[in-house]
Amino acid sequence: MAFSASNWPGRSTLWMFVVTAAFVLSVPARAHVGSPDVYAEGNAGPYRLFVTVRPPLVIPGVAEIEVRAESNMPTVSEIAMAPIPLTGEASKHPPVADQMKQSAQDKQFFTGALWIMASGSWQVRFTVNGSQGKGLLSIPVPATSSSTRGMQPGLGILLGGLGLLLVVGVIGIVGAAARDAQLPAGAVASRQAVTRSKIAMGSALVGMIAAVWFGNAWWKGEADSYAKYVYKPLTMQATLGPNQVLDLKIEDPGWLKSRKIDDFVLDHDHLMHLYLIRKPGMDIVYHLHPDQVAPGEFQLTLPSIPTGDYSLYADVVHATGFPETLVAQIALPEIAGRPLAGDDAKGTAQPLSSLAGGPNICPANPIAGPQFHLPDGYTMIWSNAAILPAKTPQIFEFSLLDATGKPASDMALYMGMPGHAAFVKDDSTVFAHVHPSGTASMAALMMAAAQNQAIQPNAQPNSDSMAAMPSMASSGMTMPGTNNSKIDESAAKAPNTVGFPYGFPTPGAYRIFVQMKHGQTVETAAFDACATAAKTN
């Protein structure tokens, strides 16, 4: 169930205040580690939109939404939005859409807020009207509460003082009533009345102590009940077995009873996308694809890998469209393994500590358009400045040049996309696997796109495809409810420039791993960036 922020039922306001005051939650880490906001770029019919969704920190809660319509596209006059479950019967019955507010200073910029009333996989459906008619775009949004945090000391002191004042006031009122209620005007209370007053005050004190005790027990019970709905990520244990086989075992520590560990769906033709990153320098990265060998268990024969301590980040998508990133650590010896094959890829770079000032201090000056020279003579160029504010939507743009310095002419799709990127913070608190379509998984995007195609069958074929993709079919997957089939990537054309919608969630030093493909070669480049404190209005 979901409501717009403007029509939240008043009778639930008090309950919502209690929940919000008691459970101020930290940053969720579900689909991506430490990167809760959703960034996406896509086409709503003839209109290209850049969408930012900031999910609520508590469920139920308010999601803040920003949409920018591309200025060189047809003019957008209004945008309506509605929160809808991504799957299930409720996905067929959307609520009344809420109109977004158009900026008076920037007519291409829209803002809004929506209530998300339950944990799970949602979509925000945008209905766009403008100079060329109507268009639809749906952006998947995983919504959960992730953890609880104690009440702020200042608020606790304030509420404690007010509570003590209330207790003292009640006892005083009871005592005064028992002593003076039946006295004539101007009369002095007798000794018996004073004694009666003291007994009444003692009884009131006992009653108030009991009320406080039972109230605290009720509050704790409510907190424990709510804690059952706080997101608990799947855990993953990584071990190295015989014959250089990496074994990954997934366990569910308990969150929602409906969550499974054997319902994963294909995303870019793989059930799992695994990044191995050597720490602390982040100088070696592997993008691998283990196979499921049993419910909750994946295995992969490793390629040749240098010794070191590796952080593992494994992306999976449930049948509901809910994505999760599983995290593990493993110390590996020198491995003389198999050659890389299929979609597997490797990249090497200078350790992050080689940055001026060390791994925890950002570079002193912005660097525009850094270059990364690849082993085969190709070069990847980053077009953005290397110092950017946190919590700010950006299109991170990269280009691949051939050995002569010209735009690569033999570009190919890599797992159905012009490129893939991983944004990793130096302290491992942030990991986000991002596509040209944004941070949402392609499996979830296609679930939403199929529903919109049923609603608006006469829409342009790419009305729900991502702007960076040639077509939905080029994702390398079959769209549910359609006859699309996987295309031959070797025959598909790809641009030599790719952009990734994203925003750094917190200030600090980041490394960005970018992968693009030309011919049969998957290139992996690394770029270093600094996120400064977020801008304030």
Side-chain angles (χ1 to χ4, degrees), residues 76-273:
V76 173
S77 58
E78 62 178 12
I79 301 177
M81 58 182 180
I84 309 167
L86 187 58
T87 58
E89 183 64 27
S91 66
K92 304 175 184 177
H93 307 284
V96 176
D98 197 47
Q99 290 291 327
M100 300 192 73
K101 181 180 180 181
Q102 189 176 32
S103 171
Q105 293 75 31
D106 184 354
K107 296 299 183 180
Q108 299 297 102
F109 186 66
F110 297 78
T111 58
L114 293 173
W115 278 97
I116 304 295
M117 299 301 296
S119 295
S121 194
W122 291 78
Q123 60 179 307
V124 177
R125 179 176 294 162
F126 298 93
T127 303
V128 183
N129 284 297
S131 59
Q132 293 193 13
K134 179 179 177 181
L136 293 178
L137 175 66
S138 288
I139 302 301
V141 178
T144 64
S145 300
S146 66
S147 62
T148 60
R149 192 169 61 190
M151 185 179 296
Q152 295 180 355
L155 180 60
I157 293 172
L158 175 63
L159 294 179
L162 292 175
L164 180 61
L165 180 63
L166 177 63
V167 170
V168 172
V170 169
I171 294 173
I173 291 172
V174 170
R179 184 184 63 244
D180 302 332
Q182 297 181 357
L183 284 178
V188 178
S190 64
R191 181 178 299 176
Q192 291 83 357
V194 172
T195 301
R196 185 168 63 248
S197 172
K198 291 180 179 179
I199 294 174
M201 293 174 68
S203 300
L205 176 61
V206 172
M208 291 303 296
I209 292 175
V212 171
W213 187 89
F214 282 110
N216 182 69
W218 169 83
W219 186 270
K220 186 178 183 301
E222 289 296 309
D224 291 343
S225 176
Y226 185 87
K228 295 178 182 178
Y229 298 97
V230 171
Y231 174 69
K232 298 177 179 63
L234 295 173
T235 61
M236 181 173 69
Q237 298 295 325
T239 57
L240 182 62
N243 302 317
Q244 316 298 351
V245 173
L246 179 66
D247 185 75
L248 305 173
K249 291 186 178 178
I250 301 172
E251 294 184 356
D252 188 351
W255 175 43
L256 297 180
K257 294 182 179 179
S258 58
R259 182 168 64 174
K260 302 177 182 179
I261 58 174
D262 60 354
D263 67 336
F264 304 128
V265 297
L266 293 174
D267 193 34
H268 302 292
D269 209 32
H270 297 283
L271 292 179
M272 176 182 285
H273 293 261

Side-chain angles (χ1 to χ4, degrees), residues 43 51 56 59 118 174 182 196 215 277 288 321 368 387 391 468 483 500 515-516 523 532 537:
N43 292 341
V51 178
I59 303 295
V174 170
Q182 297 181 357
R196 185 168 63 248
I277 302 175
L288 306 173
I387 296 183
K391 304 291 288 185
N483 294 320
F500 300 96
Q515 295 179 308
M516 301 176 71
E523 306 281 18
T532 60
N537 295 328

Side-chain angles (χ1 to χ4, degrees), residues 275-421:
Y275 278 83
L276 277 75
I277 302 175
R278 189 164 74 170
K279 296 296 180 73
M282 292 196 284
D283 56 335
I284 297 176
V285 59
Y286 289 83
H287 186 174
L288 306 173
H289 305 90
D291 294 319
Q292 188 172 20
V293 297
E297 184 174 5
F298 287 76
Q299 289 185 352
L300 173 75
T301 301
L302 290 175
S304 296
I305 296 181
T307 184
D309 296 325
Y310 287 82
S311 292
L312 282 63
Y313 304 95
D315 289 335
V316 295
V317 182
H318 294 273
T320 60
F322 190 88
E324 297 197 66
T325 297
L326 318 180
V327 180
Q329 309 291 327
I330 190 170
L332 292 176
E334 184 83 20
I335 294 177
R338 61 173 176 82
L340 292 172
D343 293 327
D344 294 344
K346 172 189 177 182
T348 60
Q350 292 295 318
L352 185 62
S353 59
S354 65
L355 280 173
N360 296 311
I361 302 176
C362 295
N365 299 307
I367 303 172
Q371 299 182 1
F372 189 91
H373 298 287
L374 298 155
D376 61 354
Y378 278 59
T379 301
M380 197 177 296
I381 296 177
W382 181 24
S383 300
N384 301 76
I387 296 183
L388 299 166
K391 304 291 288 185
T392 303
Q394 303 277 345
I395 298 292
F396 292 80
E397 188 173 279
F398 303 87
S399 301
L400 188 63
L401 307 180
D402 63 20
T404 67
K406 296 180 180 180
S409 60
D410 58 343
M411 297 299 300
L413 296 175
Y414 178 42
M415 289 185 287
M417 308 289 282
H420 291 249

Side-chain angles (χ1 to χ4, degrees), residues 503-518:
F504 295 120
T506 55
Y510 289 79
R511 174 154 283 184
I512 309 170
F513 296 104
V514 182
Q515 295 179 308
M516 301 176 71
K517 185 176 181 180
H518 68 91

Side-chain angles (χ1 to χ4, degrees), residues 456-497:
Q456 196 176 20
N458 297 325
Q460 295 183 9
N462 70 334
S463 63
D464 275 280
S465 65
M466 296 299 99
M469 297 178 58
S471 69
M472 185 60 73
S474 69
S475 66
M477 301 170 58
T478 299
M479 182 190 297
T482 72
N483 294 320
N484 290 348
S485 59
K486 183 177 178 180
I487 67 170
D488 181 7
E489 286 190 359
S490 63
K493 299 296 182 181
N496 82 304
T497 298

